[in-house]
Amino acid sequence: MKELKLPLTNEDISSLTLGEFVYLSGTIYSARDNTHQRIIEILEREGNLLSLGFSLSSIYYMGPTPARAGVVCGSAGPTTSSRMDKFTPLLLEKGLKVMIGKGKRSEEVKNSIRANHAIYFSTIGGAGAYLADRIKKMECVAFSELGPEAIYRLEVEKFPVVVSYK
Amino acid sequence: MRHINSDTIIEVVSKRVSEINFKIDDNILSCFKTAKVDSPEKDFLNILIENSDIANKKQIALCQDTGIVIVFAKVGVEVKLDKSLEESINIAVKKGYLENYLRKSVVVDPINRVNTEDNTPAIVHVELVDGDGFELQIMSKGGGSENASALWMLDPADGEQGIVDKVVARIKEKGMNCCPPLILGIGIGGDMEKSAMLAKKALFRKIGERSSVQRYSLLEQRILEEVNSLGIGVGGFGGKLTAMDVFIEIAPCHIASMPVALNVGCHSSRHCVVKL
């Protein structure tokens, strides 16, 4: 099984084929509905995302359960990606490269993925405990008031995904 | 009159509503283990089995979407409660979700989206029945599967074919999003809200449990076959097991109507029954 380090390069993306099962390791950021709304508001106001202080190049559509003491993170499976479709083309134009979630994407998003040489992976919906085991570090880095919808920086190791659109 | 103390209800409901989030139902687990599918679909099923083991062992929820709580209560007319049932259930949900690290997935207002912070309110349906029994059917329902659900006010002339067409088309469109292998609850008849309630209650049936009415038992099997021939498969990665079962519940309806509701259940299908 192929294992890739994040962030992915254009060469990494070109080397993958649709339907291929791969492991990802490195840094990803969680973001879902409310977070996307906030990010777009920042983009509209400031024209870029520099004020976030980190680069949103890899997004995981996920909102975890709270972590018990002594555990890195709670349950952490993917949420339905299509709810983020209306925000995605703009983020792709601003440098988003990798998305991980579950389910289909709109035609507009698929076209934008191709145009921006990005990639969309699906992972296993409902396998939140199994996927949490692949998250080795987790830290809230923005919008903490949104609770499960905050942005968390996640260090993942051998995170299983399937290439869905590129 | 039989008195049931609200503290008893709160204790049992808070415990059960948490437990169902940490271990997959035995009935579903055995369906995963015995499914006749090939690799790689089998590998994804094995991941779901491992997911349940990890959830149970480490007490990490099966799915990060620990749902909104729905309760169908049957309360005997000879039962006396010291507090409204809805209030007891909400106290129990708050306690269960806060103490067990379950996600708070309920917002106060559908447009302003501010989280209630304790996963309440639950959605409670109460039916008054004869006697002094007390039964709660409890479900933690995730948003992904609920969002794939639908309701159609069909014409009587649409018949069985109309029902099959709507359900199969809906799963073809949305099935990949809602964590297959799915369980489909279908309510036919009643009125708009009755059909929706029947569809959701159908999700409490056990895999393999057929409708007692032959016509609907056959219709369940027909829809199951058609849905499984869509090729969506476990996790939406392609394969034969898109749905584990289809359950139809019916009710009498108006001469002009044929309401049909589809409630989609994901593979975690967290539910239980509490009897006091």
Side-chain angles (χ1 to χ4, degrees), chain A residues 67-132:
Chain A
R68 287 177 194 273
V71 171
V72 173
C73 72
S75 193
T79 195
T80 308
S81 310
S82 61
R83 292 198 315 274
M84 270 53 79
D85 280 355
K86 58 174 77 74
F87 309 112
T88 303
L90 182 57
L91 292 181
L92 286 166
E93 282 163 28
K94 298 287 176 185
L96 175 62
K97 242 358 199 181
V98 172
M99 294 156 285
I100 307 169
K102 65 165 166 142
K104 297 177 187 172
R105 309 303 302 261
S106 68
E107 284 307 314
E108 196 193 349
V109 169
K110 286 191 234 176
N111 291 338
S112 180
I113 287 171
R114 273 192 294 271
N116 290 288
H117 208 56
I119 190 163
Y120 168 62
F121 296 104
S122 304
T123 188
I124 308 121
Y130 176 89
L131 293 169

Side-chain angles (χ1 to χ4, degrees), chain A residues 63 68 75 77 102 130 133, chain B residues 51 58-59 61 64 103 177 267:
Chain A
R68 287 177 194 273
S75 193
K102 65 165 166 142
Y130 176 89
D133 240 21
Chain B
N51 185 58
K58 295 194 173 179
Q59 291 292 290
Q64 75 293 337
R103 199 179 76 184
N177 295 348
H267 59 65

Side-chain angles (χ1 to χ4, degrees), chain B residues 12 85 123 133 189 202 221-222 246 269 276:
Chain B
V12 177
L85 182 57
I123 294 172
Q221 293 168 74
R222 179 180 165 197
V246 175
S269 186
L276 292 176

Side-chain angles (χ1 to χ4, degrees), chain B residues 96-148:
Chain B
Y97 274 68
L98 290 176
E99 289 177 1
N100 293 285
Y101 298 83
L102 300 175
R103 199 179 76 184
K104 291 32 161 213
S105 311
V106 178
V107 294
V108 182
D109 176 309
I111 294 176
N112 84 9
R113 313 302 295 178
V114 175
N115 201 298
T116 65
E117 308 284 346
D118 59 11
N119 218 52
T120 67
I123 294 172
V124 182
H125 305 285
V126 183
E127 189 183 341
L128 281 175
V129 297
D130 284 336
D132 63 357
F134 181 90
E135 182 189 292
L136 306 175
Q137 288 180 304
I138 302 172
M139 177 187 283
S140 284
K141 188 71 159 60
S145 59
E146 192 71 1
N147 286 349

Side-chain angles (χ1 to χ4, degrees), chain A:
Chain A
M1 201 85 74
K2 198 181 278 180
E3 194 178 335
L4 293 170
K5 291 257 177 269
L6 292 158
L8 297 190
T9 62
N10 287 346
E11 290 71 37
D12 289 331
I13 293 172
S14 298
S15 76
L16 294 169
T17 52
L18 294 182
E20 190 176 355
F21 195 134
V22 291
Y23 288 122
L24 299 177
S25 297
T27 305
I28 54 178
Y29 292 90
S30 72
R32 44 171 297 156
D33 310 62
N34 239 333
T35 332
H36 273 72
Q37 194 88 49
R38 297 276 186 107
I39 292 169
I40 296 297
E41 280 165 18
I42 295 177
L43 270 177
E44 282 169 356
R45 202 171 53 233
E46 302 169 16
N48 59 55
L49 294 173
L50 294 174
S51 62
L52 280 179
F54 51 87
S55 154
L56 266 184
S57 65
S58 308
I59 286 184
Y60 181 24
Y61 301 131
M62 188 276 292
T65 58
R68 287 177 194 273
V71 171
V72 173
C73 72
S75 193
T79 195
T80 308
S81 310
S82 61
R83 292 198 315 274
M84 270 53 79
D85 280 355
K86 58 174 77 74
F87 309 112
T88 303
L90 182 57
L91 292 181
L92 286 166
E93 282 163 28
K94 298 287 176 185
L96 175 62
K97 242 358 199 181
V98 172
M99 294 156 285
I100 307 169
K102 65 165 166 142
K104 297 177 187 172
R105 309 303 302 261
S106 68
E107 284 307 314
E108 196 193 349
V109 169
K110 286 191 234 176
N111 291 338
S112 180
I113 287 171
R114 273 192 294 271
N116 290 288
H117 208 56
I119 190 163
Y120 168 62
F121 296 104
S122 304
T123 188
I124 308 121
Y130 176 89
L131 293 169
D133 240 21
R134 308 297 173 107
I135 297 172
K136 303 301 171 189
K137 260 196 209 163
M138 172 169 165
E139 182 193 359
C140 181
V141 290
F143 314 131
S144 59
E145 69 280 11
L146 294 180
E149 297 211 55
I151 300 185
Y152 294 93
R153 180 189 288 126
L154 309 167
E155 297 296 330
V156 299
E157 231 175 75
K158 291 188 83 172
F159 196 83
V161 295
V162 176
V163 181
S164 293
Y165 305 125
K166 56 170 259 186

